[in-house]
């Protein structure tokens, strides 16, 4: 994949079907294993290209409706094509989850996989919305990643981006200031993902305002890659142009190459690119 293609991919968030195999496919199956028997309506928040919805429809013939809310029009278009064979068992809506609009559906299952950190610091709005929309006895299945963070609030993908910025000439000690000041063409703070991701303790307090925790499951999400280009592709499909705004437009092709190179070095040094805890919360609305 050429650098210019990676930049286009980042703008359109395309290619996620391939990129998700590095991490998200494991979450999808893990979450669907927790869906109660015979669900009728399932709602996926941040439904992306419709992979979870398709798996749910295949696994649960009882589903009469699988609903997806997704912000990216490009991903909705890809999901619509993928889910076309399911006809009127599918409904897709473009939506900003930080300001969710009322829906006519009362799902008995709501899912959200690796999305909540993008809603920081407004997570409470979507949590209240889910509580109010779930059918009686319904379940909310939520996955959250929890990378270790340093004193600057950087961790997880931020660490790979930090290495890439250093490769492009930024002093390592100056990287937190690049995030805070939005140097390059960012035009403002690019909040580190590890800062966007609340700690398990903080998140538990937030969730408990609206839900009771029925159970939790924990695992480690480990990413391995075959070469640097694969990770450039993964980063662009997963994070879009979020991080690349830290550099001027003329250097963004270099940035994506540097991210891939940094990940590939990690693979060689550690045997993996990233390894972080992920939690699956099984929740029910408070009475």
């Amino acid at each position: 994949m050429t650098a210019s293609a990676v930049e286009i991919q980042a703008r359109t968030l395309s290619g996620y079907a391939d990129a998700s195999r590095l991490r998200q496919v494991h979450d999808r199956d893990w979450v669907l294993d927790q869906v109660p028997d015979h669900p009728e309506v399932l709602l996926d928040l941040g439904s992306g290209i419709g992979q979870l919805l398709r798996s749910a429809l295949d696994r649960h013939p009882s589903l009469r409706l699988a609903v997806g809310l997704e912000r990216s029009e490009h991903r909705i278009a890809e999901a619509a094509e993928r889910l076309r064979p399911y006809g009127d068992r599918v409904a897709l809506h473009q939506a900003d989850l930080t300001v969710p609009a009322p829906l006519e559906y009362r799902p008995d299952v709501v899912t959200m996989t690796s999305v909540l950190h993008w809603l920081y610091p407004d997570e409470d709005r979507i949590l209240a919305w889910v509580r109010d929309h779930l059918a009686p006895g319904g379940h909310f299945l939520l996955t959250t990643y929890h990378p270790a963070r340093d004193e600057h609030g950087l961790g997880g993908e931020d660490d790979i981006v930090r290495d890439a910025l250093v490769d492009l000439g930024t002093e390592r000690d100056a990287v937190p200031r690049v995030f805070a000041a939005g140097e390059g063409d960012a035009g403002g703070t690019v909040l580190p993902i590890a800062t966007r991701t609340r700690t398990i303790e903080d998140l538990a307090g937030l969730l408990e305002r609206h839900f009771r925790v029925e159970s939790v499951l924990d695992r480690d999400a480990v990413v391995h890659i075959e070469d640097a280009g694969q990770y450039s592709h993964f980063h662009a499909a997963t994070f879009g142009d979020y991080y690349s705004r830290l550099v001027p437009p003329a250097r963004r092709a270099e940035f994506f190459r540097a991210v891939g190179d940094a990940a590939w070095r990690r693979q060689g040094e550690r045997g993996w690119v990233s390894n972080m805890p992920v939690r699956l919360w099984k929740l029910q609305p408070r009475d």
Side-chain angles (χ1 to χ4, degrees):
M1 177 177 290
T2 67
S4 60
V6 173
E7 290 178 89
I8 294 169
Q9 180 186 10
R11 288 196 295 270
T12 62
L13 293 171
S14 62
Y16 193 70
D18 291 332
S20 68
R21 295 189 181 101
L22 292 180
R23 182 184 291 163
Q24 285 298 98
V25 66
H26 306 295
D27 276 3
R28 184 165 68 244
D29 296 336
W30 195 37
V31 166
L32 291 177
D33 285 344
Q34 298 300 311
V35 172
D37 291 338
H38 311 299
E40 293 188 12
V41 179
L42 181 144
L43 170 62
D44 188 29
L45 301 175
S47 52
I49 60 174
Q51 293 168 300
L52 185 144
L53 294 175
R54 182 175 66 178
S55 295
L57 287 161
D58 289 341
R59 290 178 59 158
H60 297 284
S62 61
L63 276 177
R64 56 182 175 82
L65 187 61
V67 183
L69 299 189
E70 168 60 41
R71 184 170 187 170
S72 166
E73 60 180 316
H74 299 284
R75 286 185 170 177
I76 287 178
E78 189 173 344
E81 186 61 31
R82 173 172 280 102
L83 298 169
R84 191 180 306 280
Y86 300 93
D88 60 8
R89 293 177 70 202
V90 174
L92 300 174
H93 302 276
Q94 190 169 8
D96 179 351
L97 297 181
T98 63
V99 284
L103 280 184
E104 59 186 284
Y105 314 109
R106 294 296 302 274
D108 37 15
V109 180
V110 175
T111 56
M112 178 187 278
T113 58
S114 192
V115 170
L116 192 64
H117 54 278
W118 289 115
L119 309 183
Y120 178 92
D122 300 316
E123 304 99 321
D124 196 65
R125 294 178 192 166
I126 193 65
L127 296 176
W129 186 94
V130 173
R131 178 201 63 208
D132 294 341
H133 279 76
L134 268 170
H139 287 84
F140 181 28
L141 301 173
L142 170 70
T143 65
T144 54
Y145 285 80
H146 299 280
R149 64 176 72 159
D150 66 12
E151 67 274 20
H152 305 292
L154 278 69
E157 193 70 14
D158 308 322
D159 288 333
I160 297 169
V161 170
R162 172 164 32 199
D163 288 346
L165 292 173
V166 170
D167 288 348
L168 294 177
T170 301
E171 293 291 332
R172 181 167 292 274
D173 290 346
V175 169
R177 294 196 297 275
V178 173
F179 273 84
E183 291 181 16
D185 191 47
T189 300
V190 176
L191 197 64
I193 292 295
T195 298
R196 285 181 168 275
T197 304
R198 295 180 186 269
T199 66
I200 285 177
E201 294 74 20
D202 288 347
L203 183 55
L206 189 61
L207 291 170
E208 287 172 3
R209 299 179 192 174
H210 308 286
F211 301 95
R212 63 177 183 83
V213 179
E214 183 174 312
S215 64
V216 296
L217 295 172
D218 294 291
R219 69 175 182 86
D220 292 327
V222 185
V223 172
H224 303 274
I225 57 173
E226 298 173 359
D227 54 47
Q230 185 184 33
Y231 200 84
S232 295
H233 169 67
F234 168 79
H235 179 95
T238 304
F239 299 97
D241 60 3
Y242 183 73
Y243 286 109
S244 68
R245 292 180 290 132
L246 292 169
V247 302
R251 302 203 71 189
R252 288 180 184 171
E254 293 178 80
F255 171 81
F256 286 111
R257 279 197 298 268
V259 166
D261 290 342
W264 186 235
R265 283 199 304 274
R266 282 171 167 253
Q267 178 71 44
E269 294 165 359
R270 309 178 186 196
W272 41 263
V273 177
S274 62
N275 184 345
M276 70 182 77
V278 56
R279 171 163 289 194
L280 169 56
W281 311 74
K282 189 172 186 178
L283 307 160
Q284 286 193 299
R286 288 196 175 277
D287 297 333

